[in-house]
Amino acid sequence: LILSMGGQLPNNIAMALHRQQCRVLGTSPEAIDSAENRFKFSRLLDTIGISQPQWKELSDMESAMQFCSKVGYPCLVRPSYVLSGAAMNVAYSDSDLEKFLSSAVAVSKEYPVVISKFIQEAKEIDVDAVACDGVVVAIAISEHVENAGVHSGDATLVTPPQDITPKTLERIEAIVHAIGQELQVTGPFNLQLIAKDDQLKVIECNVRVSRSFPFVSKTLGVDMVALATQVIMGEEVEPVGLMTGTGIVGVKVPQFSFSRLAGADVVLGVEMTSTGEVACFGESRCEAYLKAMLSTGFKIPKKNILLTIGSYKNKSELLPTVRTLERLGYSLYASMGTADFYTEHGIKVKAVDWPFEENDSDCPLKEKQRSIMDYLAENHFDMVINLSMRNSGGRRLSSFVTKGYRTRRLAVDYSVPLIIDIKCTKLFVEALRQIGMAPPVKTHVDCMTSQKLIRLPGLIDIHVHLREPGGTHKEDFASGTAAALAGGITMVCAMPNTIPAITDPSSFALAQKLAEAGARCDFALFFGAASDNVGTLTSTANAAAGLKMYLNDTFSNLKMDNVSLWMEHFEKWPKHLPIVAHAEKQTVAAILMVAQLYQRPVHICHVARKEEILIIKAAKQKGIQVTCEVAPHHLFLCLDDLKRIGETRGQVRPMLGTQEDMNALWENLEIIDCFATDHAPHSVEEKNDKNAPPGYPGLETMLPLLLTAVNEGRLTIDDIIMRLYENPRKIFSLPVQENTYVEVDLEQEWIIPSHMQFTKSKWTPFEGMKVKGAIRRVILRGEVAYIDGQVLVPPGYGQDVRKWPTGMVSVPRPVAAKEILKTPERHRPTAQSEIIRSRASSPRRTGPTGDGRFHLPPRIHRASDPGLPAFRKHAVMTSWGPTMTAAEELKEKPAKKPAEQDLAVTQDGYLYPPPLPRMPSPQNVPMQMLPHPQTSPLLHPLIGQHVLSVKQFSKDQMSHLFNVAHNLRLMVQKERALDILKGKVMASMFYEVSTRTSSSFTAAMYRLGGSVITFSESTSSTQKGESLADSVQTMSCYTDVVVVRHPNPGAVELAAKHCRKPVINAGDGVGEHPTQALLDVFTIREELGTVNGMTITMVGDLKHGRTVHSLACLLTQYRVNLRYVTPRNLRMPSDIIHFVASKGIKQEEFDSIEEALPDTDVLYMTRIQKERFDSIQEYNSCFGQFILTPHIMTTAKKKMVVMHPMPRVNEISVEVDSDPRAAYFRQAENGMFIRMALLATVLGKY
């Protein structure tokens, strides 16, 4: 079973399921109970030194009032195991306390109810976390806007926190790590803390998911439920650490239904009243809060606002806020006292009378004014701000007759927006000041997707043929740039081989005019080099993308095969503008020679052959200024594909290469500077002709093909960005396209159809290829240009980037490689990219990650993608640098010296354990990894001492001993190897038969790494007459501790007087059994959370039962009631009764189990001990009088426990064993842990 995903109710039955042998995955039910039970959790916090509000268990009204008087009101009445704060309330006086206590007891009678100090004016903090075997792997922190005292379901929650200092965050992390480690959490858990005056106190811990888990997961970008599920199922996970988000802020606000609850008071308190919640995202807290409030139906006030502020403190605190409202142009109205205060401070406020008072004839001003009721009934007010005298806490009956209540109720009844919290008022007014009216929708903030989307910068294709002018049946600027947008291309560089070719200013002007009228994306145009235009282009060269030289045959009449012409163009073309060459095979070497001769860079188009890429590689190694590009069809197609494509359709220049050529391009990818489509469309009819012109369309298929290579591990996202954005801008000095980006889905799989949607060329050579990756949305200069198959911008939206101001041209700085992504073929440094806000990533979802580091310029959205208006640019900078987790940090740092290991994080005067690194699996833990713990100072008196009687233990010593036993139990349950007593030897000397005591002592010694020598009376020198004292002294010569059981009372104590080593009394006849009493009290504490206040009923042979003798004496250190059910001749010895009575413990005797059972918390059954009777007749007269059966158990409390020191005969029916309240076998198991703790303590090792 998995309990941690179902809210509070599964936690309530965790222990019951555990006792029914249900297998619970994740955090153990014992740990769940340790967090839910207030007594256990408080002890846990004390153990690890974490501060908590003062509290006390609820027993009776008198003691409750004394506690409240001591710590001071207000106080919180708080039951355990409740949902939504049921029966919780804040008491401000004795009368409040009396009313609320009855309510709390009624709700949860059998669970502990505590009263704690309620801390006012404090900030409440929620922490959601996931841990694995106690090691915290993810932490999300949220802060409440309202002061502490408002239920988290009613509170306004903000994540990531905006007001918490880094120092406080570190303290919170330390607390989370310490509690997660102590509870050994495996899965999700939630902490609630309060902060005041630089101090943190823990309110509660829920070992389950909380309501805020989905909220923080979506806001901060990590699927914490998926992470927790992986941990629960035993899978390895990567630590996330403290989550800081992705640059957005999430705000969750409550949704109330007071309008449907006639007469209900609109106040916030510790008991939940909201019926829903709304969360919104924003680039700031104010923006997110305003969106969230509007989502609940709240309306932004237009003109008139009513203020009714209760206390002077609140009036003063709100003074700057009210001034802001005045500056924003609102007309302010206020109740008399509020109006007087703000008028005195120079704020224009109109006073309005309360509607609930009789007219005062002495005040003619009142008679002229309409009342608040009149104004509300006329919908005169657009908003009411009403702050009561008490900002939070419980509901008081008196509140239903106050003016504030009536005003709040009227506002709700007349549907007037109402704010009732001072912190929310301040935040709302600040949001009005910053944002103004309703904030615009920003799709990059407000929209999320289930796909794995990433955001790329607007991509640049430096090699396209758009055929206009002269070939518009093939393509034109409108269709070609639509295809570009559909392919994620936001800027194209158009080639000059049109009809007429662009070789002079007039043809350039024509092409430019056509492009400006038809282009949908941004563009730049190339000049074509010809034999007759050398030197004539200088005057207009700056308007071009560059100079294109055709040196081999292609679909053009611009071919130049005269090297002297090449040289002339190299000499005349402006040096700051690029030269681009269509060169193949040997021509590549020739043009490189000319470039080297004139010492200027050259760009080689569509490299397709092995020899070409190797020549360019050699040239780069020699320092020649050369760059190159490769077309997708040369990367993904070769001559082997011609049969599928068709001979005529397969014509392209350069021609497809061999498989060897294609492999050479992939192997030398680092030499390739750019990807470019060489989009060269022709009609289907032309391509089917036997004299088909060369060229492939490619604008709509390039990016999907490259994304498929990313998914296959052949490329990275950063390879694409470098070759389609960074390098094209650098080589061609292209400007930044502001607010331009492309969103792609990395996981969408599809098959390329026979033709693409937007190009006029109704065919594609990639038909039938399966690709993984699709373009979802393109934003061009703030407009949604393309989304899900639709091009939304009209022809003419595209701009000539060479006409933009020259200041916009900036060469991107080279990005330092932050990490290396491994692919199957090679390792290359990655550049930066940006992850789109998508569904929080699951740790199970692997793939091409590591792409979330590219920072785009601030984005502005216009009408089709509304966002911030142009005059208000707000950039949200997000740090994507790698964050070292606590575990990683510990691995990085050198091991501390032993003295340093004792240091811990300190806060509030308490000591906090530092976060621990993740432990390897239990079977792999070397013994030396678990250091020997230090013995508590309180246990120092026990080191090396005999353990003979319960009277030698103080309550504090027992408490520390129980904590040691608890920790050792956790280690055993986690299969941790212990060597605490390695090298130590225990002597086991039992002169009476024993199963549990002897076996548990032996098991305890072995568990601690020690060894055992077993003494057998039947085979020892006792048969020769050796005394007990001599036997014990002899055994102490060979061992370090001696455990003795003997049938004669006082025998063990006598033997201990002559022994040099510690002796532990394992039972001496009808005398004492101290270790049994210790484990009994430990079991009560573990089962019920506390011993104090319990009614313990002992049944059976109380005369001879050494277990009950020791237990009764030990229980005198607690506030308990003892009941005895026993045959008259087997009553508790008088010396025990007198001793217990001297300690002020109430004792009662009953004749039957049924009579004592209804109010019993612990039923302690014992057997009638046959071996203690002088005659069988006397034994038979007592035997069988008290037998516990399932029928009798029906009258017992649901949370009662049944204990028995064992062995049993017939006093407990075997049918009772299946009852979850039957704790006697758990009691026996606890015996091993108590004895482990005792052995370790006595031998000075714990």
Side-chain angles (χ1 to χ4, degrees):
L1 298 175
I2 294 177
L3 304 179
S4 54
M5 303 295 178
Q8 183 61 45
L9 295 180
N11 276 10
N12 290 356
I13 61 173
M15 288 302 293
L17 291 170
H18 177 60
R19 289 166 183 170
Q20 293 290 350
Q21 309 301 314
C22 290
R23 185 185 177 197
V24 175
L25 301 180
T27 308
S28 69
E30 291 101 329
I32 294 173
D33 191 56
S34 294
E36 292 286 352
N37 186 288
R38 298 295 302 175
F39 301 96
K40 292 184 179 182
F41 187 60
S42 178
R43 282 197 300 269
L44 181 147
L45 294 180
D46 290 341
T47 300
I48 57 180
I50 291 177
S51 182
Q52 56 187 310
Q54 291 177 280
W55 69 280
K56 187 171 183 176
E57 65 180 337
L58 173 63
S59 54
D60 57 76
M61 185 62 63
E62 183 180 354
S63 61
M65 289 184 177
Q66 287 175 355
F67 171 77
C68 293
S69 176
K70 177 183 175 182
V71 301
Y73 284 104
C75 288
L76 179 67
V77 180
R78 185 186 190 91
S80 295
Y81 289 101
V82 297
L83 184 64
S84 300
M88 287 170 51
N89 242 311
V90 176
Y92 289 85
S93 64
D94 287 347
S95 60
D96 284 347
L97 181 64
E98 190 172 354
K99 294 170 187 174
F100 299 147
L101 281 183
S102 58
S103 173
V105 173
V107 168
S108 190
K109 183 177 180 181
E110 292 185 12
Y111 290 97
V113 180
V114 298
I115 303 173
S116 58
K117 170 63 179 172
F118 180 72
I119 301 175
Q120 295 180 296
E121 304 295 326
K123 174 178 281 293
E124 188 163 342
I125 298 165
D126 275 11
V127 181
D128 294 301
V130 176
C132 179
D133 293 333
V135 179
V136 177
V137 296
I139 301 175
I141 300 176
S142 308
E143 61 182 347
H144 289 206
V145 171
E146 298 87 350
N147 284 329
V150 176
H151 191 278
S152 59
D154 291 352
T156 302
L157 208 60
V158 180
T159 193
Q162 305 294 297
D163 294 333
I164 301 178
T165 64
K167 183 178 179 181
T168 303
L169 287 175
E170 289 179 10
R171 291 177 176 176
I172 294 171
E173 277 194 89
I175 290 172
V176 174
H177 281 281
I179 292 176
Q181 180 71 30
E182 190 69 16
L183 287 173
Q184 285 292 292
V185 176
T186 296
F189 67 109
N190 166 266
L191 279 176
Q192 293 179 24
L193 306 95
I194 51 175
K196 184 178 182 182
D197 299 332
D198 272 343
Q199 292 191 2
L200 285 168
K201 296 182 186 293
V202 173
I203 304 174
E204 67 176 357
C205 175
N206 298 302
V207 189
R208 55 174 172 83
V209 293
S210 66
R211 64 169 36 84
S212 52
F213 255 73
F215 169 61
V216 297
S217 294
K218 292 176 181 178
T219 306
L220 303 178
V222 176
D223 189 340
M224 294 186 70
V225 172
L227 188 68
T229 304
Q230 271 195 291
V231 165
I232 290 170
M233 299 310 295
E235 296 185 12
E236 289 290 327
V237 297
E238 287 296 323
V240 177
L242 177 62
M243 299 187 295
T244 56
T246 58
I248 64 164
V249 179
V251 174
K252 183 270 297 181
V253 300
Q255 172 76 64
F256 297 100
S257 299
F258 289 116
S259 60
R260 299 186 180 185
L261 303 173
D265 193 3
V266 189
V267 293
L268 300 178
V270 292
E271 192 167 2
M272 184 173 167
T273 56
S274 63
T275 54
E277 296 168 298
V278 178
C280 285
F281 307 119
E283 291 179 329
S284 68
R285 172 174 49 181
C286 290
E287 180 183 310
Y289 180 67
L290 204 55
K291 289 176 182 175
M293 290 293 285
L294 293 173
S295 300
T296 66
F298 199 91
K299 295 183 178 63
I300 293 178
K302 296 179 180 178
K303 185 177 180 183
N304 302 321
I305 297 176
L306 172 66
L307 308 172
T308 60
I309 315 300
S311 67
Y312 179 84
K313 180 181 179 300
N314 286 347
K315 291 183 178 76
S316 300
E317 185 176 345
L318 274 186
L319 184 57
T321 301
V322 176
R323 290 193 194 278
T324 300
L325 287 173
E326 184 183 37
R327 283 196 296 269
L328 291 173
Y330 287 105
S331 299
L332 302 180
Y333 296 75
S335 57
M336 290 299 181
T338 304
D340 289 345
F341 177 86
Y342 291 119
T343 301
E344 289 174 3
H345 288 82
I347 300 174
K348 185 179 179 181
V349 180
K350 182 177 180 180
V352 186
D353 195 5
W354 293 100
F356 321 113
E357 297 175 337
E358 295 181 2
N359 289 336
D360 189 345
S361 59
D362 295 333
C363 187
L365 181 62
K366 287 187 178 180
E367 297 176 4
K368 300 176 183 178
Q369 292 180 329
R370 287 176 293 171
S371 68
I372 291 176
M373 178 183 290
D374 297 329
Y375 279 117
L376 286 170
E378 297 166 3
N379 283 322
H380 184 75
F381 298 133
D382 300 316
M383 184 172 74
V384 173
I385 298 173
N386 176 277
L387 306 184
S388 60
M389 295 293 288
R390 295 178 186 173
N391 289 329
S392 61
R395 283 168 176 71
R396 308 175 311 283
L397 294 178
S398 59
S399 69
F400 292 96
V401 295
T402 63
K403 301 169 184 176
Y405 159 71
R406 296 183 183 181
T407 302
R408 292 189 293 273
R409 192 62 241 178
L410 280 172
V412 169
D413 292 339
Y414 287 114
S415 301
V416 178
L418 173 67
I419 300 180
I420 56 173
D421 181 82
I422 188 168
K423 302 297 183 184
C424 290
T425 301
K426 294 166 71 174
L427 180 57
F428 184 78
V429 174
E430 179 61 21
L432 288 180
R433 186 188 70 80
Q434 288 188 18
I435 311 299
M437 291 297 104
V441 174
K442 301 176 183 176
T443 53
H444 67 290
V445 171
D446 299 309
C447 300
M448 298 182 71
T449 175
S450 59
Q451 287 95 9
K452 187 173 182 181
L453 295 188
I454 66 166
R455 178 171 295 163
L456 304 175
L459 304 181
I460 303 169
D461 191 343
I462 56 174
H463 193 147
V464 299
H465 301 270
L466 296 181
R467 305 303 190 201
E468 190 174 9
T472 52
H473 65 288
K474 303 172 186 283
E475 199 78 281
D476 56 30
F477 280 110
S479 63
T481 53
L485 290 171
I489 307 298
T490 59
M491 185 190 302
V492 295
C493 296
M495 288 297 158
N497 55 336
T498 53
I499 304 175
I502 305 174
T503 56
D504 54 49
S506 61
S507 58
F508 185 87
L510 173 62
Q512 193 176 50
K513 181 179 179 181
L514 294 171
E516 289 174 344
R520 301 173 191 262
C521 72
D522 296 335
F523 62 90
L525 305 175
F526 277 101
F527 263 121
S531 58
D532 57 354
N533 67 350
V534 175
T536 63
L537 305 177
T538 306
S539 61
T540 55
N542 285 325
L547 180 68
K548 176 67 179 288
M549 298 174 62
Y550 291 88
L551 312 182
N552 291 91
D553 289 327
T554 183
F555 184 70
S556 166
N557 58 2
L558 295 177
K559 179 184 176 184
M560 294 189 303
D561 50 13
N562 188 329
V563 177
S564 62
L565 288 174
W566 304 358
M567 297 172 66
E568 289 183 36
H569 278 291
F570 266 81
E571 184 175 348
K572 300 293 185 182
W573 183 253
K575 292 187 180 297
H576 67 283
L577 297 174
I579 293 178
V580 177
H582 175 136
E584 302 176 34
K585 301 180 181 178
Q586 301 93 329
T587 312
V588 174
I591 195 66
L592 289 177
M593 180 194 70
V594 174
Q596 177 70 356
L597 183 64
Y598 284 91
Q599 288 295 299
R600 64 178 300 164
V602 66
H603 180 80
I604 308 300
C605 296
H606 40 55
V607 175
R609 299 287 185 274
K610 178 179 180 180
E611 61 187 272
E612 296 166 4
I613 194 68
L614 293 180
I615 289 171
I616 294 171
K617 180 178 182 179
K620 286 191 173 189
Q621 291 172 347
K622 293 293 184 182
I624 298 175
Q625 301 177 65
V626 58
T627 56
C628 66
E629 71 189 47
V630 170
H633 49 263
H634 290 127
L635 282 173
F636 295 96
L637 300 175
C638 64
L639 288 173
D640 298 342
D641 295 292
L642 272 183
K643 183 175 180 181
R644 174 182 61 81
I645 300 171
E647 283 293 333
T648 58
R649 290 192 178 190
Q651 292 301 307
V652 67
R653 296 295 180 271
M655 193 58 191
L656 295 179
T658 63
Q659 184 72 46
E660 182 182 5
D661 290 325
M662 186 169 68
N663 292 341
L665 295 179
W666 282 105
E667 290 166 4
N668 292 280
L669 199 65
E670 66 275 6
I671 305 303
I672 299 168
D673 300 280
C674 301
F675 296 137
T677 60
D678 189 13
H679 176 76
H682 300 283
S683 68
V684 174
E685 293 76 18
E686 290 173 322
K687 291 299 289 183
N688 287 339
D689 188 78
K690 62 180 181 178
N691 297 317
Y696 294 164
L699 280 168
E700 294 169 81
T701 51
M702 174 174 67
L703 189 52
L705 289 166
L706 295 175
L707 293 175
T708 303
V710 169
N711 279 290
E712 294 170 349
R714 303 166 74 186
L715 288 175
T716 68
I717 290 294
D718 299 305
D719 289 330
I720 296 175
I721 294 173
M722 182 184 298
R723 290 165 177 81
L724 281 173
Y725 175 72
E726 294 174 354
N727 288 346
R729 282 195 54 224
K730 190 185 305 182
I731 295 167
F732 292 91
S733 298
L734 297 171
V736 174
Q737 292 173 289
E738 294 286 349
N739 311 303
T740 297
Y741 54 90
V742 179
E743 293 176 0
V744 297
D745 182 352
L746 287 178
E747 296 186 338
Q748 182 176 335
E749 296 184 12
W750 55 289
I751 296 175
I752 297 177
S754 59
H755 64 86
M756 301 307 292
Q757 183 176 357
F758 294 100
T759 179
K760 289 185 178 182
S761 182
K762 297 303 178 185
W763 79 284
T764 173
F766 304 106
E767 177 184 354
M769 291 182 65
K770 186 176 181 179
V771 290
K772 188 174 183 180
I775 296 87
R776 298 303 306 273
R777 194 170 70 135
V778 177
I779 306 297
L780 176 57
R781 289 182 274 109
E783 287 286 348
V784 180
Y786 171 86
I787 184 168
D788 292 338
Q790 298 181 67
V791 174
L792 303 182
V793 290
Y797 181 73
Q799 297 178 8
D800 187 342
V801 298
R802 288 302 193 212
K803 289 188 174 182
W804 290 0
T806 54
M808 297 184 68
V809 180
S810 60
V811 177
R813 290 177 297 174
V815 179
K818 291 187 178 178
E819 62 175 314
I820 294 179
L821 295 183
K822 296 182 180 179
T823 67
E825 298 186 6
R826 65 193 179 282
H827 301 171
R828 289 197 310 282
T830 66
Q832 294 184 339
S833 59
E834 179 182 353
I835 281 204
I836 293 301
R837 264 180 29 82
S838 62
R839 180 183 62 198
S841 59
S842 162
R844 296 177 185 272
R845 297 174 60 168
T846 58
T849 56
D851 309 319
R853 305 169 309 280
F854 191 87
H855 292 297
L856 297 176
R859 294 183 288 275
I860 305 172
H861 297 269
R862 299 200 180 97
S864 57
D865 186 24
L868 286 177
F871 57 86
R872 286 177 46 229
K873 300 181 182 179
H874 296 289
V876 178
M877 301 306 293
T878 308
S879 173
W880 292 92
T883 301
M884 185 175 290
T885 64
E888 292 169 341
E889 191 172 359
L890 287 174
K891 293 176 184 175
E892 291 289 330
K893 293 180 180 178
K896 292 182 178 180
K897 297 177 183 177
E900 294 175 334
Q901 290 176 347
D902 293 334
L903 297 177
V905 182
T906 59
Q907 180 250 326
D908 300 345
Y910 289 89
L911 206 60
Y912 293 107
L916 299 179
R918 177 165 184 170
M919 292 184 178
S921 57
Q923 60 267 29
N924 298 327
V925 178
M927 287 189 176
Q928 61 268 24
M929 285 190 64
L930 294 174
H932 292 168
Q934 299 299 313
T935 307
S936 165
L938 281 169
L939 298 179
H940 284 171
L942 297 177
I943 296 175
Q945 300 300 309
H946 303 309
V947 177
L948 304 174
S949 170
V950 294
K951 296 178 182 178
Q952 67 188 91
F953 290 93
S954 69
K955 187 176 180 181
D956 287 338
Q957 284 177 334
M958 283 193 293
S959 179
H960 278 71
L961 194 67
F962 295 159
N963 289 338
V964 172
H966 177 79
N967 291 335
L968 290 172
R969 179 171 71 175
L970 290 178
M971 291 183 183
V972 170
Q973 289 174 343
K974 292 294 182 181
E975 300 180 8
R976 304 290 193 233
L978 300 172
D979 62 349
I980 295 173
L981 296 185
K982 186 177 182 181
K984 299 292 183 180
V985 182
M986 180 190 83
S988 177
M989 303 181 67
F990 279 72
Y991 289 83
E992 276 188 331
V993 293
S994 170
T995 301
R996 274 150 298 281
T997 305
S998 63
S999 298
S1000 62
F1001 263 115
T1002 300
M1005 195 65 184
Y1006 283 135
R1007 291 277 191 186
L1008 294 171
S1011 56
V1012 179
I1013 295 178
T1014 302
F1015 172 93
S1016 172
E1017 182 185 10
S1018 61
T1019 60
S1020 71
S1021 295
T1022 305
Q1023 301 300 319
K1024 301 177 181 179
E1026 184 176 65
S1027 68
L1028 171 64
D1030 287 351
S1031 295
V1032 170
Q1033 266 197 305
T1034 301
M1035 294 302 291
S1036 70
C1037 296
Y1038 315 129
T1039 60
D1040 301 285
V1041 61
V1042 181
V1043 178
V1044 182
R1045 170 178 284 190
H1046 200 275
N1048 297 329
V1052 178
E1053 184 176 356
L1054 182 64
K1057 291 180 180 179
H1058 305 285
C1059 186
R1060 296 171 298 161
K1061 301 290 176 64
V1063 173
I1064 299 177
N1065 183 359
D1068 59 345
V1070 297
E1072 281 213 57
H1073 196 345
T1075 64
Q1076 180 69 45
L1078 288 170
L1079 77 88
D1080 290 341
V1081 176
F1082 177 70
T1083 300
I1084 295 171
R1085 195 180 86 148
E1086 290 295 299
E1087 294 287 324
L1088 299 176
T1090 184
V1091 182
N1092 284 318
M1094 297 300 166
T1095 297
I1096 299 165
T1097 300
M1098 299 178 180
V1099 181
D1101 185 354
L1102 306 187
K1103 177 181 179 181
H1104 303 116
R1106 59 191 172 208
T1107 58
V1108 292
H1109 299 167
S1110 294
L1111 179 58
C1113 292
L1114 206 57
L1115 287 172
T1116 59
Q1117 303 202 43
Y1118 299 90
R1119 291 183 292 103
V1120 297
N1121 296 321
L1122 294 182
R1123 294 181 172 184
Y1124 309 132
V1125 180
T1126 180
R1128 290 295 176 185
N1129 57 331
L1130 298 178
R1131 297 175 64 195
M1132 185 74 79
S1134 60
D1135 61 324
I1136 301 294
I1137 290 177
H1138 293 319
F1139 177 79
V1140 172
S1142 70
K1143 300 295 183 180
I1145 302 299
K1146 181 181 179 182
Q1147 302 174 85
E1148 299 175 275
E1149 290 189 345
F1150 293 84
D1151 294 326
S1152 68
I1153 298 176
E1154 293 88 339
E1155 186 181 357
L1157 195 60
D1159 295 324
T1160 295
D1161 298 296
V1162 179
L1163 183 64
Y1164 196 94
M1165 301 293 296
T1166 63
R1167 69 185 175 93
I1168 305 297
Q1169 302 182 48
K1170 185 176 182 179
E1171 65 273 21
R1172 309 298 183 193
F1173 288 86
D1174 295 330
S1175 68
I1176 191 68
Q1177 292 81 11
E1178 187 181 358
Y1179 168 72
N1180 288 334
S1181 68
C1182 299
F1183 180 74
Q1185 287 191 28
F1186 305 110
I1187 300 176
L1188 183 66
T1189 64
H1191 175 72
I1192 295 176
M1193 287 288 288
T1194 58
T1195 62
K1197 290 181 179 181
K1198 290 182 179 179
K1199 292 297 178 181
M1200 186 195 76
V1201 294
V1202 180
M1203 297 173 61
H1204 193 305
M1206 308 292 268
R1208 66 175 167 184
V1209 181
N1210 71 335
E1211 57 275 4
I1212 299 180
S1213 168
V1214 292
E1215 286 82 8
V1216 177
D1217 292 356
S1218 59
D1219 192 309
R1221 294 169 289 187
Y1224 28 87
F1225 289 111
R1226 298 193 293 274
Q1227 176 186 0
E1229 183 183 13
N1230 287 336
M1232 181 179 70
F1233 303 122
I1234 280 292
R1235 285 158 181 146
M1236 286 175 71
L1238 202 56
L1239 286 169
T1241 300
V1242 168
L1243 292 175
K1245 295 296 184 179
Y1246 213 113

